[in-house]
Amino acid sequence: RICIQARLNILIAGNTSSGKTTLLNILAGSIPNQERIITIEDSLELQLRQSHVLSLEARPADNNGEGLVTIRDLVRNVLRMRPDRIIVGEVRGAEALDMLQAANTGHEGTLSTIHSNSARDALTRLETMCMMAGLDLPLSAIRKQVVAALDLIVYLSRYSKGLRKVNQITELVGMEGDVFSLTDLFIYNRTGVDGFHQPTGTFQSTGLRPMFERKIADAGLTLPPNLFRS
């Protein structure tokens, strides 16, 4: 909630049916009511209750091949609509570059989801999607866009029998050479299974404090003092 109110850019990652959209909907509920929110989705799933919400939906082409409206079209045009927040239900292709550029041009507090097998894999997939934009950008430039745009990655997993867990809350710190530098702030430490074959474990802080604490302080917000105690 504090990260949302401090306008951090957050990417929710996870495998299929891990609860990404559900978590996105919950997090977006912490956006202040007075902000103008624009959501962009393939099919409308988000149900935000704030007063100023504009929901945009992609549209397939008709039988004559006309009328196609892609996620990328919507992301490009949403910048003209004076949004305080941009929420992209899921990035799947070249629109990833437009989303990153929007986050880098003053539209802080952007939220989105992506399919991936880990927090680090989510960044690799973003790189690949940006290359699909066809702008012939060098990989180093794309990585700088990613690092400048994203603050936090929340990674979810779906376990047996449909149980869903947040596995990692990870900060994107920067680059170390050609490798993204990530800091796990919280992890789910799995210890075994119970009598119903469901995983058991605990959510734990790694004891590391995030670099974005300054952003939170600048927003006039305060984190609980024991939040990052290992």
Side-chain angles (χ1 to χ4, degrees):
R1 175 179 57 81
I2 290 176
C3 288
I4 293 290
Q5 293 175 356
R7 305 183 67 84
L8 268 62
N9 298 320
I10 301 175
L11 182 66
I12 301 171
N15 45 31
T16 302
S17 190
S18 58
K20 297 185 296 297
T21 302
T22 300
L23 182 61
L24 175 61
N25 203 71
I26 293 169
L27 293 181
S30 296
I31 297 174
N33 187 61
Q34 70 272 16
E35 294 191 15
R36 175 174 167 82
I37 306 167
I38 301 184
T39 68
I40 302 169
E41 301 177 83
D42 263 335
S43 58
L44 297 179
E45 295 180 278
L46 296 174
Q47 299 176 356
L48 304 186
R49 303 191 181 278
Q50 287 89 336
S51 301
H52 308 286
V53 179
L54 176 62
S55 300
L56 305 181
E57 186 177 22
R59 183 177 64 193
D62 60 19
N63 293 334
N64 297 320
E66 299 177 348
L68 175 67
V69 179
T70 66
I71 294 288
R72 190 174 191 194
D73 294 330
L74 296 176
V75 173
R76 285 176 168 178
N77 283 280
V78 80
L79 301 180
R80 303 189 183 102
M81 302 179 186
R82 298 182 295 103
D84 293 312
R85 301 271 185 161
I86 299 173
I87 300 176
V88 183
E90 182 179 341
V91 286
R92 298 180 180 175
E95 69 273 5
L97 180 60
D98 300 291
M99 182 198 71
L100 293 176
Q101 289 177 334
N104 280 326
T105 53
H107 294 88
E108 296 178 322
T110 298
L111 305 172
S112 189
T113 74
I114 189 172
H115 274 81
S116 74
N117 295 319
S118 67
R120 187 172 295 277
D121 180 54
L123 301 177
T124 303
R125 289 208 67 211
L126 270 182
E127 288 180 348
T128 303
M129 291 174 183
C130 289
M131 293 177 184
M132 295 166 63
L135 297 181
D136 198 26
L137 290 172
L139 188 56
S140 59
I142 293 175
R143 286 172 174 166
K144 287 179 181 178
Q145 289 266 7
V146 173
V147 169
L150 294 181
D151 297 298
L152 203 60
I153 304 167
V154 181
Y155 181 73
L156 301 97
S157 289
R158 183 176 187 270
Y159 294 94
S160 60
K161 299 187 178 181
L163 185 69
R164 296 165 176 86
K165 293 282 188 184
V166 174
N167 261 19
Q168 296 168 269
I169 300 178
T170 302
E171 181 184 20
L172 175 55
V173 178
M175 298 291 298
E176 291 183 0
D178 294 332
V179 180
F180 289 108
S181 177
L182 301 176
T183 299
D184 288 336
L185 303 175
F186 297 92
I187 59 172
Y188 175 65
N189 183 25
R190 184 174 176 179
T191 56
V193 294
D194 61 18
F196 300 97
H197 303 288
Q198 297 280 28
T200 59
T202 56
F203 295 101
Q204 297 178 346
S205 168
T206 61
L208 302 173
R209 303 190 71 89
M211 301 286 288
F212 56 71
E213 274 192 291
R214 172 58 66 87
K215 285 188 178 181
I216 291 174
D218 290 344
L221 301 168
T222 305
L223 291 169
N226 295 328
L227 184 62
F228 299 104
R229 178 174 293 175
S230 177

